[in-house]
Amino acid sequence: MHQTSSFALTLHRSGRTNRKSFCSIVQFFWPNRVIMANKPIRDWVYLAIIGLQLTGMLVLDLVAFYPKPLWEPAGAPLHFLVGLRRRYVASTGDPFFSASSSSAAVHSSAPWFEAFLYVEGFVQFPLAAFLVSRLAAARRIGGAAELAGLAFGCLTFMGSVACCYELLHMGPEQVAAEKKTRLLYGTYLPFVVIPAVLAVDMFLRLLPRVQDTGTKDKDE
């Protein structure tokens, strides 16, 4: 009986050693795979949604803030963005971007929406760019990215809720009923739900860090 137990213990230790050796070999030859295995899948979802939003900022939302010679004249290098905007409005009927031209878009919008565009340009855009750079890496994001994610999630949630609420109260003279449903549930609502989940997730990741810091301060 004693010999059997010793043999089993030896096998267990040998197996554990072999597993460690195997992991060391994998980490040596494929370090990114080991790191990516520890990265939550939801971080890749966040990367997709924030990357999509960042693209939308660059090609739609913030075009009016670019220097006009870059996009307004017909031969300008970014003039294609004007046509892209018109096609978007024609296909979706989005009332928030229904101005006849990009140059008039900001100042023809409701004041609250104009304010959100400024917040988007000066706050959300840098946060989104920072988050995309961190989320695209193979490693787990750190505290700085988690804090940025919390701020970005809250801002995006608030702005999208305001847009959804405004859409709900728009009549058929502002947006067609069939397009209103698609806009509400297909375009704007995902930017309410996912950023809300992002904000809660980042808060829960940051909370242990803050609690640990508070505990250390009390001990000192």
Side-chain angles (χ1 to χ4, degrees):
M1 182 70 177
H2 177 70
Q3 290 179 345
T4 304
S5 300
S6 299
F7 180 68
L9 182 60
T10 302
L11 283 177
H12 175 72
R13 288 176 177 173
S14 176
R16 186 168 58 185
T17 303
N18 289 337
R19 284 195 298 272
K20 288 182 178 179
S21 300
F22 176 75
C23 290
S24 299
I25 293 171
V26 172
Q27 189 168 11
F28 179 78
F29 286 103
W30 300 286
N32 286 340
R33 292 191 179 184
V34 177
I35 294 169
M36 289 174 68
N38 296 324
K39 186 170 183 176
I41 295 177
R42 60 186 180 276
D43 281 5
W44 299 111
V45 178
Y46 299 150
L47 174 62
I49 194 74
I50 297 173
L52 180 63
Q53 188 171 357
L54 184 63
T55 303
M57 291 179 190
L58 291 171
V59 304
L60 186 65
D61 297 359
L62 304 179
V63 173
F65 296 105
Y66 298 169
K68 289 185 179 181
L70 289 178
W71 58 268
E72 195 170 42
L78 298 180
H79 185 70
F80 70 94
L81 295 176
V82 177
L84 186 64
R85 179 195 186 92
R86 287 173 180 164
R87 285 193 294 272
Y88 168 77
V89 172
S91 62
T92 64
D94 193 331
F96 299 118
F97 295 94
S98 59
S100 58
S101 67
S102 294
S103 59
V106 174
H107 300 294
S108 65
S109 303
W112 67 267
F113 188 74
E114 181 180 341
F116 274 128
L117 286 179
Y118 281 105
V119 172
E120 183 176 338
F122 290 107
V123 184
Q124 285 178 273
F125 176 77
L127 286 173
F130 175 74
L131 283 168
V132 166
S133 68
R134 291 296 184 269
L135 289 167
R139 295 180 178 275
R140 290 178 66 99
I141 60 175
E146 290 169 354
L147 187 60
L150 175 60
F152 181 82
C154 291
L155 283 170
T156 304
F157 171 79
M158 182 179 66
S160 300
V161 165
C163 290
C164 286
Y165 193 75
E166 181 77 2
L167 268 174
L168 278 173
H169 290 81
M170 284 184 177
E173 71 281 356
Q174 292 175 286
V175 57
E178 66 277 5
K179 290 186 176 181
K180 178 179 178 178
T181 302
R182 287 200 301 269
L183 274 171
L184 182 61
Y185 295 105
T187 302
Y188 285 97
L189 194 60
F191 289 97
V192 172
V193 176
I194 297 177
V197 173
L198 168 67
V200 173
D201 186 19
M202 295 300 114
F203 171 78
L204 293 176
R205 295 190 199 186
L206 285 166
L207 187 60
R209 300 174 188 267
V210 177
Q211 290 176 334
D212 290 343
T213 303
T215 303
K216 289 179 181 178
D217 291 340
K218 288 181 180 179
D219 293 340
E220 293 176 357

